[in-house]
Structures are given as C-alpha cells and as structure tokens.
Amino acid sequence: MALLKVGEKDRDGRQKRIEHTGRYLRASRTGGLSLRAQTRAAGINLTGNTNHGVRVSTRLAKNTQVAFQNGRFILRGRYGSDAAKFNLSKSGVTVSTKTPIGSFNWIRPGRSSAKIAGVQLRGHNAAAIQGVSGTGCLYTC
C-alpha cells in the first residue's frame, strides 16, 4: 500500500483520494484525524465516529438506506443505469451522470463532484470544473 494512497488508482483509473484509512483510524487532507468503530446486529448497523458522532442505519430496499445520525433522519438512494442515475434524499429526487472525472448533477449542480490528482472536489466548484474540463457531461452527453 502506497503512502497516503499516492499512485493507487480507483476502478476508473483515477488517483484514489489522498488519505490514510486504517481499520479504526482515518487521516484525510481536509478532515483531519478521526477514530471510528462499526458493528452490525439484527440487520442494524451502528457506527461511531469522533468527527461525525453516532449513526444507526439499515437498508430499506435495494440501494436505499435510512439512518439516524446525531438525532437527524437520513434517507439515501441511488438508482438507474450508468447514463443517468436518480438520487433520492429527504429534499427530493435529482438526476446525475457519471463522467471521467466525477459526477455531474443536472438538477442541483451544487451536488456535483470531481476528483483531480486525488483531490476530491464537491459542489459548485466541481460543477464548474466539469464544464471547463471538456470531459464533463456539458460537452459529451
């Protein structure tokens, strides 16, 4: 394993996120250090993290997760083909498309992502990079 995953590639051939992930420890470029522990009992997942608190989650249906984290309700789902995926959350449904550098969200560009040289970008910065790069959906889809 390379130091901080430098030189390691994800399944799309891009540099993996620059971070160290161990069984109980994660050190990231922006998030700092955090300790975590996870267990599963009777179909319920219990996760504790020093940065994000405690989360209790379960699978509602295929590709759908419901959870409580620090007293907040969380609903997540991602469905569909590779061309366009439907994303479910408490605030509604959006549509996103996978690109060579990340994912572009057509309804809410602020939820887009891009990864360049192992640095993960999210939000409007990622949407702008998707458009400028020429590899994003704004030009190829």
Side-chain angles (χ1 to χ4, degrees):
M1 180 179 193
L3 179 66
L4 299 176
K5 298 183 185 174
V6 173
E8 291 186 27
K9 304 291 183 192
D10 64 9
R11 64 180 175 216
D12 295 321
R14 296 179 303 223
Q15 167 67 47
K16 281 189 175 179
R17 208 181 278 212
I18 298 173
E19 66 181 357
H20 168 74
T21 50
R23 184 174 173 126
Y24 300 109
L25 174 73
R26 179 173 186 254
S28 71
R29 183 181 58 84
T30 56
L33 289 173
S34 65
L35 295 172
R36 64 182 178 201
Q38 179 178 334
T39 188
R40 181 180 174 103
I44 304 287
N45 297 312
L46 182 64
T47 305
N49 184 302
T50 56
N51 284 352
H52 300 289
V54 176
R55 179 174 61 235
V56 178
S57 63
T58 189
R59 186 180 117 163
L60 184 63
K62 185 177 180 184
N63 298 329
T64 307
Q65 180 189 42
V66 291
F68 282 96
Q69 183 166 348
N70 299 330
R72 294 180 297 115
F73 176 72
I74 298 169
L75 174 65
R76 281 188 286 236
R78 189 162 165 88
Y79 319 94
S81 66
D82 289 336
K85 292 208 178 219
F86 292 94
N87 309 294
L88 172 68
S89 69
K90 287 188 309 186
S91 59
V93 177
T94 63
V95 179
S96 64
T97 304
K98 188 174 179 180
T99 67
I101 62 170
S103 179
F104 182 78
N105 193 307
W106 291 98
I107 297 174
R108 295 184 182 226
R111 294 185 181 175
S112 298
S113 68
K115 186 165 40 171
I116 299 172
V119 177
Q120 181 83 37
L121 300 170
R122 296 188 181 275
H124 290 286
N125 292 337
I129 288 172
Q130 292 272 6
V132 171
S133 72
T135 60
C137 277
L138 298 177
Y139 296 104
T140 60
C141 291

